[in-house]
Each structure stands twice: as C-alpha cells, then as structure tokens.
Coordinates of all heavy atoms in Angstrom, one line a residue:
M17 N 0.8 -1.2 0.0 CA 0.0 0.0 0.0 C 0.9 1.3 0.0 O 1.1 1.9 1.0 CB -0.9 0.0 1.2 CG -2.1 -0.8 1.0 SD -3.5 -0.3 2.1 CE -3.0 -1.1 3.6
S18 N 1.4 1.5 -1.1 CA 2.2 2.8 -1.2 C 1.3 4.0 -1.5 O 0.8 4.0 -2.6 CB 3.2 2.5 -2.3 OG 3.9 3.7 -2.7
E19 N 1.2 4.8 -0.6 CA 0.4 6.0 -0.8 C 1.3 7.2 -1.2 O 2.4 7.3 -0.8 CB -0.3 6.4 0.5 CG -1.3 5.4 1.0 CD -2.0 5.9 2.2 OE1 -2.1 7.1 2.4 OE2 -2.5 5.0 3.0
N20 N 0.8 7.9 -2.2 CA 1.5 9.1 -2.7 C 1.1 10.3 -1.8 O 0.2 11.0 -2.2 CB 1.1 9.3 -4.2 CG 2.0 10.3 -4.8 OD1 3.0 10.7 -4.3 ND2 1.6 10.8 -6.0
L21 N 1.9 10.5 -0.8 CA 1.6 11.6 0.1 C 2.4 12.9 -0.2 O 3.7 12.7 -0.5 CB 1.9 11.2 1.6 CG 1.0 10.2 2.2 CD1 1.4 9.8 3.6 CD2 -0.5 10.6 2.2
K22 N 1.8 14.0 -0.2 CA 2.6 15.2 -0.4 C 2.6 16.0 0.9 O 1.8 15.8 1.7 CB 1.8 16.1 -1.5 CG 1.9 15.4 -2.9 CD 1.3 16.3 -3.9 CE 1.3 15.6 -5.2 NZ 0.9 16.4 -6.3
T23 N 3.7 16.8 1.0 CA 3.9 17.5 2.3 C 3.8 19.0 2.0 O 4.4 19.5 1.1 CB 5.3 17.1 2.8 OG1 5.4 15.7 3.0 CG2 5.5 17.8 4.2
I24 N 3.2 19.7 2.9 CA 3.2 21.1 2.9 C 3.6 21.6 4.3 O 3.3 20.9 5.4 CB 1.8 21.8 2.5 CG1 0.7 21.3 3.5 CG2 1.5 21.5 1.1 CD1 -0.6 22.1 3.2
R25 N 4.2 22.8 4.4 CA 4.5 23.4 5.7 C 3.9 24.7 5.9 O 4.0 25.6 5.0 CB 6.1 23.5 5.8 CG 6.7 22.2 6.1 CD 8.2 22.5 6.4 NE 8.8 21.2 6.5 CZ 10.0 21.0 7.0 NH1 10.7 22.1 7.4 NH2 10.6 19.9 7.1
V26 N 3.3 24.9 7.0 CA 2.7 26.2 7.3 C 3.7 27.0 8.2 O 3.9 26.6 9.3 CB 1.4 26.1 8.1 CG1 0.8 27.4 8.4 CG2 0.4 25.3 7.3
Q27 N 4.3 28.0 7.6 CA 5.4 28.7 8.3 C 4.8 30.0 8.8 O 5.5 30.6 9.7 CB 6.6 29.0 7.4 CG 7.3 27.7 7.0 CD 8.5 28.0 6.1 OE1 8.6 29.0 5.5 NE2 9.5 27.1 6.1
E28 N 3.7 30.5 8.3 CA 3.1 31.8 8.7 C 1.6 31.7 8.6 O 1.1 31.2 7.6 CB 3.7 32.8 7.9 CG 3.4 34.2 8.4 CD 4.2 35.3 7.6 OE1 5.4 35.1 7.3 OE2 3.6 36.3 7.2
F29 N 0.9 32.3 9.5 CA -0.5 32.5 9.5 C -0.8 34.0 9.2 O -0.1 34.8 9.7 CB -1.2 32.1 10.8 CG -1.3 30.6 11.1 CD1 -0.4 30.0 11.9 CD2 -2.3 29.9 10.4 CE1 -0.5 28.6 12.2 CE2 -2.4 28.5 10.7 CZ -1.5 27.9 11.5
S30 N -1.9 34.2 8.5 CA -2.4 35.6 8.4 C -3.1 35.9 9.7 O -4.1 35.3 10.1 CB -3.4 35.6 7.3 OG -4.1 36.9 7.2
I31 N -2.5 36.8 10.5 CA -3.0 37.1 11.8 C -4.4 37.6 11.9 O -5.2 37.0 12.6 CB -2.0 38.1 12.5 CG1 -0.6 37.5 12.7 CG2 -2.6 38.6 13.8 CD1 0.4 38.4 13.2
L32 N -4.7 38.6 11.1 CA -6.1 39.2 11.2 C -7.1 38.2 10.7 O -8.2 38.1 11.3 CB -6.1 40.5 10.4 CG -7.4 41.2 10.4 CD1 -7.8 41.7 11.8 CD2 -7.4 42.5 9.5
Q33 N -6.9 37.6 9.6 CA -7.9 36.6 9.0 C -8.2 35.4 10.0 O -9.3 35.1 10.3 CB -7.5 36.1 7.7 CG -8.5 35.2 7.0 CD -9.8 36.0 6.7 OE1 -9.8 37.2 6.5 NE2 -10.9 35.3 6.6
T34 N -7.1 34.9 10.5 CA -7.2 33.8 11.4 C -7.9 34.2 12.7 O -8.8 33.5 13.2 CB -5.8 33.2 11.8 OG1 -5.2 32.9 10.6 CG2 -6.0 31.9 12.6
A35 N -7.6 35.3 13.3 CA -8.2 35.9 14.5 C -9.7 36.1 14.2 O -10.5 35.9 15.1 CB -7.5 37.1 15.0
K36 N -10.1 36.7 13.1 CA -11.5 37.0 12.8 C -12.3 35.7 12.7 O -13.4 35.6 13.3 CB -11.6 37.7 11.4 CG -11.3 39.1 11.4 CD -11.7 39.8 10.1 CE -11.2 39.2 8.9 NZ -11.5 40.0 7.7
I37 N -11.8 34.7 12.1 CA -12.5 33.4 11.9 C -12.6 32.7 13.3 O -13.8 32.3 13.7 CB -11.8 32.4 11.0 CG1 -11.8 33.0 9.6 CG2 -12.3 31.0 11.0 CD1 -13.2 33.1 9.0
L38 N -11.6 32.6 14.1 CA -11.7 31.9 15.4 C -12.5 32.8 16.4 O -13.2 32.2 17.2 CB -10.3 31.6 15.9 CG -9.6 30.4 15.2 CD1 -8.2 30.2 15.7 CD2 -10.4 29.2 15.3
G39 N -12.3 34.1 16.4 CA -13.1 34.9 17.3 C -14.7 34.7 17.0 O -15.5 34.6 17.9
T40 N -15.0 34.6 15.7 CA -16.4 34.4 15.3 C -16.8 33.0 15.8 O -17.9 32.8 16.3 CB -16.6 34.5 13.8 OG1 -16.2 35.8 13.4 CG2 -18.0 34.3 13.4
L41 N -16.0 32.0 15.6 CA -16.3 30.6 16.1 C -16.5 30.5 17.6 O -17.4 29.9 18.1 CB -15.3 29.6 15.6 CG -15.3 29.3 14.1 CD1 -14.1 28.4 13.7 CD2 -16.6 28.7 13.7
Y42 N -15.6 31.2 18.3 CA -15.7 31.2 19.8 C -17.1 31.9 20.2 O -17.8 31.4 21.1 CB -14.6 32.0 20.4 CG -13.3 31.2 20.4 CD1 -12.1 31.8 20.1 CD2 -13.3 29.9 20.9 CE1 -10.9 31.1 20.1 CE2 -12.1 29.2 20.9 CZ -10.9 29.9 20.5 OH -9.7 29.1 20.6
F43 N -17.4 33.0 19.5 CA -18.7 33.7 19.8 C -19.9 32.8 19.5 O -20.8 32.6 20.4 CB -18.8 35.0 18.9 CG -20.1 35.6 19.0 CD1 -20.5 36.4 20.0 CD2 -21.0 35.5 17.9 CE1 -21.8 36.9 20.1 CE2 -22.2 36.1 17.9 CZ -22.6 36.8 19.0
L44 N -19.9 32.2 18.3 CA -21.0 31.3 18.0 C -21.1 30.1 18.9 O -22.2 29.7 19.3 CB -20.9 30.9 16.5 CG -21.1 32.0 15.5 CD1 -20.9 31.5 14.1 CD2 -22.5 32.6 15.6
G45 N -20.0 29.5 19.2 CA -19.9 28.3 20.1 C -20.5 28.6 21.5 O -21.2 27.8 22.1
S46 N -20.1 29.8 22.0 CA -20.5 30.2 23.3 C -22.0 30.5 23.4 O -22.6 30.5 24.4 CB -19.7 31.3 23.9 OG -19.9 32.4 23.2
L47 N -22.6 30.9 22.3 CA -24.0 31.3 22.2 C -24.9 30.0 22.6 O -25.9 30.2 23.3 CB -24.4 31.7 20.9 CG -24.2 33.1 20.4 CD1 -24.6 33.4 19.0 CD2 -24.9 34.1 21.3
F48 N -24.4 28.9 22.2 CA -25.2 27.7 22.5 C -25.2 27.3 24.0 O -26.1 26.5 24.4 CB -24.7 26.5 21.7 CG -24.9 26.6 20.2 CD1 -23.9 26.9 19.3 CD2 -26.2 26.5 19.7 CE1 -24.1 27.0 18.0 CE2 -26.4 26.7 18.4 CZ -25.4 26.9 17.5
I49 N -24.3 27.8 24.7 CA -24.3 27.5 26.2 C -24.8 28.7 27.0 O -25.6 28.6 27.9 CB -22.8 27.1 26.6 CG1 -22.4 25.8 26.0 CG2 -22.7 27.0 28.2 CD1 -21.0 25.5 26.2
C50 N -24.3 29.9 26.7 CA -24.6 31.1 27.5 C -26.0 31.5 27.4 O -26.6 31.9 28.4 CB -23.7 32.2 27.2 SG -21.9 31.9 27.6
V51 N -26.6 31.6 26.2 CA -28.0 32.1 26.1 C -28.9 31.2 26.8 O -29.8 31.7 27.6 CB -28.4 32.3 24.6 CG1 -29.8 32.6 24.4 CG2 -27.5 33.4 24.1
P52 N -28.9 29.9 26.6 CA -29.8 29.0 27.4 C -29.6 29.1 28.9 O -30.6 29.1 29.7 CB -29.6 27.6 26.9 CG -29.0 27.8 25.5 CD -28.2 29.1 25.6
A53 N -28.3 29.2 29.3 CA -28.0 29.3 30.7 C -28.6 30.6 31.3 O -29.1 30.7 32.4 CB -26.5 29.2 30.9
G54 N -28.5 31.7 30.5 CA -29.0 33.0 30.9 C -30.5 32.9 31.0 O -31.1 33.5 32.0
L55 N -31.2 32.3 30.1 CA -32.7 32.2 30.1 C -33.1 31.3 31.4 O -34.0 31.7 32.1 CB -33.2 31.5 28.8 CG -33.1 32.4 27.6 CD1 -33.5 31.6 26.4 CD2 -34.0 33.6 27.8
F56 N -32.4 30.2 31.6 CA -32.7 29.4 32.7 C -32.5 30.1 34.0 O -33.3 30.1 35.0 CB -31.8 28.1 32.7 CG -32.0 27.3 33.9 CD1 -33.2 26.5 34.0 CD2 -31.1 27.2 34.9 CE1 -33.4 25.7 35.1 CE2 -31.3 26.4 36.0 CZ -32.5 25.6 36.1
L57 N -31.4 30.9 34.1 CA -31.1 31.6 35.3 C -32.1 32.7 35.6 O -32.5 33.0 36.7 CB -29.6 32.2 35.3 CG -29.2 32.9 36.5 CD1 -29.1 32.0 37.7 CD2 -27.8 33.5 36.3
S58 N -32.5 33.3 34.5 CA -33.5 34.4 34.6 C -34.8 33.8 35.1 O -35.4 34.4 36.0 CB -33.7 35.0 33.2 OG -34.7 36.0 33.2
L59 N -35.2 32.7 34.6 CA -36.5 32.0 35.1 C -36.3 31.6 36.5 O -37.2 31.7 37.4 CB -36.9 30.9 34.2 CG -37.3 31.3 32.8 CD1 -37.5 30.0 31.9 CD2 -38.6 32.1 32.9
A60 N -35.2 31.0 36.8 CA -35.0 30.4 38.2 C -34.8 31.5 39.2 O -35.4 31.5 40.3 CB -33.7 29.5 38.2
S61 N -34.1 32.6 38.9 CA -34.0 33.7 39.8 C -35.3 34.5 40.1 O -35.4 35.1 41.2 CB -32.9 34.6 39.4 OG -33.3 35.3 38.2
S62 N -36.2 34.4 39.2 CA -37.4 35.1 39.4 C -38.3 34.4 40.4 O -39.2 35.0 41.0 CB -38.2 35.2 38.1 OG -38.7 34.0 37.6
Q63 N -38.0 33.1 40.7 CA -38.7 32.3 41.7 C -38.1 32.5 43.1 O -38.8 32.0 44.0 CB -38.7 30.8 41.3 CG -39.3 30.6 39.9 CD -40.8 31.0 39.8 OE1 -41.6 30.7 40.7 NE2 -41.2 31.6 38.7
L64 N -37.0 33.0 43.2 CA -36.3 33.2 44.5 C -36.4 34.6 45.0 O -36.3 35.6 44.2 CB -34.8 32.8 44.4 CG -34.5 31.3 43.9 CD1 -33.1 31.1 43.6 CD2 -35.1 30.3 44.9
E65 N -36.5 34.8 46.2 CA -36.7 36.1 46.8 C -35.4 36.9 47.0 O -35.2 38.0 46.6 CB -37.4 36.0 48.1 CG -38.9 35.7 48.0 CD -39.6 35.6 49.3 OE1 -39.1 36.2 50.3 OE2 -40.6 34.9 49.4
N66 N -34.4 36.2 47.5 CA -33.1 36.8 47.9 C -32.0 36.2 47.1 O -31.0 35.8 47.6 CB -32.8 36.7 49.4 CG -33.8 37.5 50.2 OD1 -34.3 38.5 49.8 ND2 -34.1 37.0 51.4
Y67 N -32.1 36.2 45.8 CA -31.0 35.6 44.9 C -30.0 36.7 44.7 O -30.2 37.8 44.2 CB -31.6 35.2 43.6 CG -30.6 34.6 42.7 CD1 -30.0 33.3 42.9 CD2 -30.1 35.3 41.6 CE1 -29.1 32.8 42.1 CE2 -29.2 34.8 40.7 CZ -28.7 33.5 41.0 OH -27.7 33.0 40.2
N68 N -28.7 36.3 45.1 CA -27.6 37.3 44.9 C -26.5 36.7 44.0 O -25.4 37.1 44.1 CB -27.0 37.6 46.3 CG -27.9 38.3 47.2 OD1 -28.7 39.2 46.7 ND2 -27.9 38.1 48.5
G69 N -26.9 35.8 43.1 CA -25.9 35.2 42.2 C -25.7 36.2 41.0 O -26.1 37.3 41.0
P70 N -24.9 35.7 40.0 CA -24.6 36.5 38.9 C -25.9 36.8 38.1 O -26.8 35.9 38.0 CB -23.7 35.7 38.0 CG -24.0 34.3 38.4 CD -24.3 34.3 39.9
G71 N -26.1 38.0 37.6 CA -27.3 38.3 36.9 C -27.4 37.6 35.5 O -26.4 37.2 34.9
A72 N -28.6 37.4 35.1 CA -28.9 36.7 33.9 C -28.3 37.4 32.7 O -27.9 36.9 31.7 CB -30.3 36.4 33.7
L73 N -28.3 38.8 32.8 CA -27.7 39.6 31.8 C -26.3 39.3 31.5 O -25.8 39.5 30.3 CB -28.0 41.1 32.1 CG -27.8 42.1 31.0 CD1 -28.8 41.8 29.9 CD2 -28.1 43.5 31.5
L74 N -25.5 38.9 32.5 CA -24.1 38.6 32.3 C -24.0 37.4 31.3 O -23.1 37.5 30.4 CB -23.6 38.1 33.6 CG -22.1 37.5 33.6 CD1 -21.2 38.6 33.3 CD2 -21.8 36.9 34.9
F75 N -24.9 36.5 31.3 CA -24.8 35.3 30.3 C -25.1 35.8 28.9 O -24.7 35.1 28.0 CB -25.8 34.2 30.8 CG -25.3 33.5 31.9 CD1 -25.7 33.8 33.2 CD2 -24.4 32.4 31.7 CE1 -25.2 33.1 34.3 CE2 -23.9 31.7 32.8 CZ -24.3 32.0 34.1
F76 N -25.8 36.9 28.7 CA -26.0 37.4 27.4 C -24.8 38.2 26.8 O -24.6 38.3 25.6 CB -27.3 38.2 27.3 CG -28.5 37.4 27.6 CD1 -29.2 37.5 28.8 CD2 -29.0 36.5 26.6 CE1 -30.3 36.8 29.0 CE2 -30.1 35.7 26.9 CZ -30.7 35.9 28.1
F77 N -24.0 38.7 27.7 CA -22.8 39.5 27.3 C -21.5 38.5 27.2 O -20.6 38.9 26.6 CB -22.5 40.6 28.3 CG -23.4 41.7 28.1 CD1 -24.3 42.1 29.0 CD2 -23.4 42.5 26.9 CE1 -25.2 43.1 28.9 CE2 -24.3 43.5 26.7 CZ -25.2 43.8 27.7
L78 N -21.6 37.4 27.9 CA -20.4 36.5 27.8 C -20.0 36.0 26.4 O -18.8 36.0 26.1 CB -20.7 35.2 28.7 CG -20.5 35.5 30.2 CD1 -20.9 34.2 31.0 CD2 -19.1 35.9 30.5
P79 N -20.9 35.7 25.5 CA -20.5 35.4 24.2 C -19.7 36.5 23.4 O -18.7 36.2 22.8 CB -21.8 35.1 23.4 CG -22.7 34.7 24.4 CD -22.4 35.5 25.6
I80 N -20.1 37.7 23.7 CA -19.3 38.9 23.1 C -17.9 39.0 23.7 O -16.9 39.1 23.0 CB -20.1 40.2 23.3 CG1 -21.5 40.1 22.6 CG2 -19.3 41.4 22.9 CD1 -22.4 41.2 22.9
I81 N -17.9 38.8 25.0 CA -16.6 38.9 25.7 C -15.7 37.7 25.3 O -14.6 37.9 25.0 CB -16.8 38.9 27.2 CG1 -17.5 40.1 27.7 CG2 -15.5 38.7 28.0 CD1 -18.0 40.1 29.1
Y82 N -16.3 36.5 25.2 CA -15.6 35.3 24.8 C -15.1 35.4 23.4 O -13.9 35.1 23.1 CB -16.5 34.1 24.9 CG -15.8 32.8 24.9 CD1 -14.9 32.4 25.9 CD2 -16.0 31.8 23.9 CE1 -14.2 31.2 25.9 CE2 -15.4 30.6 23.9 CZ -14.5 30.3 24.9 OH -13.8 29.1 24.9
G83 N -15.9 36.0 22.4 CA -15.5 36.2 21.1 C -14.3 37.2 21.0 O -13.4 37.0 20.2
A84 N -14.5 38.3 21.7 CA -13.4 39.3 21.7 C -12.1 38.8 22.2 O -11.0 39.0 21.7 CB -13.8 40.5 22.5
L85 N -12.2 38.1 23.3 CA -10.9 37.5 23.9 C -10.4 36.4 23.0 O -9.1 36.3 22.9 CB -11.2 36.9 25.3 CG -11.4 37.9 26.4 CD1 -11.8 37.3 27.7 CD2 -10.1 38.8 26.6
G86 N -11.2 35.7 22.4 CA -10.8 34.7 21.4 C -10.0 35.3 20.3 O -9.0 34.8 19.8
F87 N -10.5 36.5 19.8 CA -9.9 37.2 18.7 C -8.5 37.7 19.1 O -7.5 37.5 18.4 CB -10.7 38.4 18.3 CG -10.1 39.3 17.3 CD1 -10.3 39.0 15.9 CD2 -9.4 40.4 17.7 CE1 -9.7 39.8 15.0 CE2 -8.8 41.2 16.7 CZ -8.9 40.9 15.3
V88 N -8.4 38.3 20.3 CA -7.2 38.9 20.8 C -6.1 37.8 21.1 O -5.0 37.9 20.6 CB -7.4 39.7 22.1 CG1 -6.1 40.1 22.8 CG2 -8.2 40.9 21.8
M89 N -6.6 36.7 21.7 CA -5.6 35.6 22.0 C -5.2 34.9 20.8 O -4.0 34.4 20.7 CB -6.2 34.6 23.0 CG -6.5 35.3 24.4 SD -5.1 36.1 25.1 CE -4.0 34.7 25.5
T90 N -6.0 34.7 19.8 CA -5.7 34.1 18.5 C -4.7 34.9 17.8 O -3.7 34.4 17.2 CB -6.9 33.8 17.7 OG1 -7.8 32.9 18.4 CG2 -6.5 33.1 16.4
A91 N -4.9 36.2 17.8 CA -4.0 37.1 17.1 C -2.6 37.1 17.8 O -1.6 37.0 17.1 CB -4.5 38.6 17.1
A92 N -2.6 37.1 19.1 CA -1.3 37.0 19.8 C -0.6 35.6 19.5 O 0.6 35.6 19.3 CB -1.5 37.1 21.3
G93 N -1.4 34.5 19.5 CA -0.8 33.2 19.2 C -0.3 33.1 17.9 O 0.8 32.5 17.6
C94 N -1.0 33.7 16.9 CA -0.5 33.7 15.5 C 0.7 34.5 15.3 O 1.7 34.1 14.6 CB -1.6 34.2 14.5 SG -3.0 33.1 14.2
G95 N 0.8 35.6 16.0 CA 2.0 36.5 16.0 C 3.2 35.7 16.5 O 4.3 35.7 16.0
F96 N 3.0 35.1 17.7 CA 4.1 34.3 18.3 C 4.4 33.1 17.4 O 5.6 32.8 17.2 CB 3.6 33.8 19.6 CG 4.6 33.0 20.4 CD1 5.8 33.7 20.8 CD2 4.5 31.7 20.7 CE1 6.8 33.0 21.6 CE2 5.5 31.0 21.4 CZ 6.6 31.7 21.8
Y97 N 3.4 32.4 16.8 CA 3.8 31.3 15.9 C 4.5 31.8 14.7 O 5.5 31.1 14.2 CB 2.5 30.6 15.4 CG 2.8 29.5 14.5 CD1 3.1 28.2 14.9 CD2 2.7 29.8 13.1 CE1 3.4 27.3 14.0 CE2 3.0 28.8 12.2 CZ 3.4 27.5 12.6 OH 3.7 26.5 11.7
N98 N 4.2 33.0 14.1 CA 4.9 33.5 12.9 C 6.4 33.7 13.3 O 7.2 33.5 12.4 CB 4.2 34.8 12.4 CG 2.9 34.5 11.8 OD1 2.5 33.3 11.5 ND2 2.1 35.5 11.6
L99 N 6.7 34.2 14.5 CA 8.1 34.4 14.9 C 8.8 33.0 14.9 O 9.9 32.9 14.5 CB 8.2 35.1 16.2 CG 7.7 36.5 16.3 CD1 7.7 37.0 17.7 CD2 8.6 37.4 15.4
I100 N 8.2 32.0 15.5 CA 8.8 30.7 15.7 C 8.8 29.9 14.5 O 9.8 29.2 14.1 CB 8.1 30.0 16.9 CG1 8.1 30.8 18.2 CG2 8.7 28.6 17.1 CD1 9.5 31.1 18.7
G101 N 7.7 29.9 13.7 CA 7.6 29.1 12.5 C 8.6 29.4 11.5 O 9.0 28.4 10.8
K102 N 9.0 30.6 11.3 CA 10.0 30.9 10.3 C 11.3 30.4 10.7 O 12.1 29.9 9.8 CB 10.1 32.5 10.2 CG 8.9 33.1 9.6 CD 9.0 34.6 9.5 CE 7.8 35.3 9.0 NZ 7.9 36.7 9.1
R103 N 11.6 30.4 11.9 CA 12.9 29.9 12.4 C 13.0 28.3 12.4 O 14.1 27.8 12.3 CB 13.3 30.5 13.8 CG 13.5 31.9 13.7 CD 13.8 32.5 15.1 NE 14.1 33.9 15.0 CZ 13.3 34.8 15.1 NH1 12.0 34.6 15.1 NH2 13.6 36.1 15.0
M104 N 11.9 27.7 12.7 CA 11.9 26.2 12.9 C 11.3 25.4 11.8 O 11.3 24.2 11.9 CB 11.2 25.9 14.3 CG 11.8 26.5 15.4 SD 11.1 26.0 17.0 CE 11.8 24.4 17.1
G105 N 10.8 26.1 10.8 CA 10.3 25.4 9.7 C 8.8 25.2 9.6 O 8.2 24.8 8.6
G106 N 8.1 25.5 10.6 CA 6.6 25.5 10.7 C 6.0 24.1 10.9 O 6.8 23.1 11.1
I107 N 4.7 24.0 10.9 CA 4.0 22.8 11.1 C 3.9 22.1 9.7 O 3.6 22.7 8.7 CB 2.6 23.1 11.7 CG1 2.7 23.6 13.0 CG2 1.8 21.7 11.7 CD1 1.3 24.1 13.6
E108 N 4.1 20.8 9.8 CA 4.2 20.0 8.5 C 2.9 19.1 8.4 O 2.5 18.5 9.4 CB 5.4 19.1 8.5 CG 5.7 18.5 7.2 CD 7.0 17.7 7.2 OE1 8.0 18.4 6.9 OE2 7.0 16.6 7.5
F109 N 2.2 19.2 7.3 CA 1.1 18.4 7.0 C 1.3 17.5 5.8 O 2.0 17.9 4.9 CB -0.1 19.2 6.6 CG -0.7 20.1 7.8 CD1 -0.3 21.4 7.9 CD2 -1.6 19.5 8.7 CE1 -0.8 22.2 8.9 CE2 -2.0 20.3 9.7 CZ -1.7 21.6 9.8
K110 N 0.8 16.3 5.9 CA 0.9 15.4 4.8 C -0.5 15.1 4.3 O -1.4 14.9 5.1 CB 1.6 14.0 5.2 CG 3.0 14.3 5.6 CD 3.7 13.0 5.8 CE 5.1 13.3 6.3 NZ 6.1 12.9 5.5
Y111 N -0.7 15.1 3.0 CA -2.0 14.9 2.4 C -1.9 14.1 1.2 O -0.8 14.0 0.5 CB -2.7 16.2 2.1 CG -2.1 17.0 1.0 CD1 -2.6 17.0 -0.3 CD2 -1.0 17.9 1.3 CE1 -2.0 17.7 -1.3 CE2 -0.4 18.6 0.3 CZ -1.0 18.6 -1.0 OH -0.4 19.3 -2.0
K112 N -3.0 13.4 0.8 CA -3.0 12.6 -0.4 C -3.7 13.4 -1.5 O -4.8 13.9 -1.2 CB -3.8 11.3 -0.1 CG -3.7 10.3 -1.2 CD -4.3 8.9 -0.9 CE -5.2 8.8 0.2 NZ -5.8 7.5 0.4
S113 N -3.2 13.5 -2.6 CA -3.8 14.3 -3.7 C -4.6 13.4 -4.6 O -4.6 12.2 -4.6 CB -2.7 15.0 -4.5 OG -1.8 14.1 -5.1

C-alpha cells in the first residue's frame, strides 16, 4: 500500500484573518451555552426572593466577551507562531492528492 503523500509546511498564519475566523467561532460556540443558561437563570432567579448570584444579563454578554478574547488571544498566538515558525520550519502536514 504505497500512498502518494505530499507534504506542505505552514510557516506563517495571516494574523487578522485567522483571528477573525476563530473569534467568530468562539462567539457562535458560546451562544449555544450562555444564552440558554441565561434564560434558565432568569427564570430560576425570578422564583427566588433573595437571589444574589450573577445576573442573567451577564450570560448574554459572555459570548461577546468570549469572542473578543478569542480574537485577541488568537492574534497573539498567530504572531508568536509566525516568529517561531519561520525559524523552525513550521508545522508540517501530509496529504493525499
């Protein structure tokens, strides 16, 4: 079984494009958890008289915060990778054409 594998190396990422995509994915992914949790907390806290936990509104802002932090951290990670990848040869992928 001789497979004809080709190799490519990623030595540099486009910082802005990669950060936009991952920031958006982090935002969308957190929507599926934070919005239902916020709705549940809103309903549950309305049944309690002295509830002092986090406000339900916090759960609606968490996806925005998570997406923004995902953008910033991805940009920083790509910048760091670009410095290292050029010197060490980058990540190598093998694929079959």
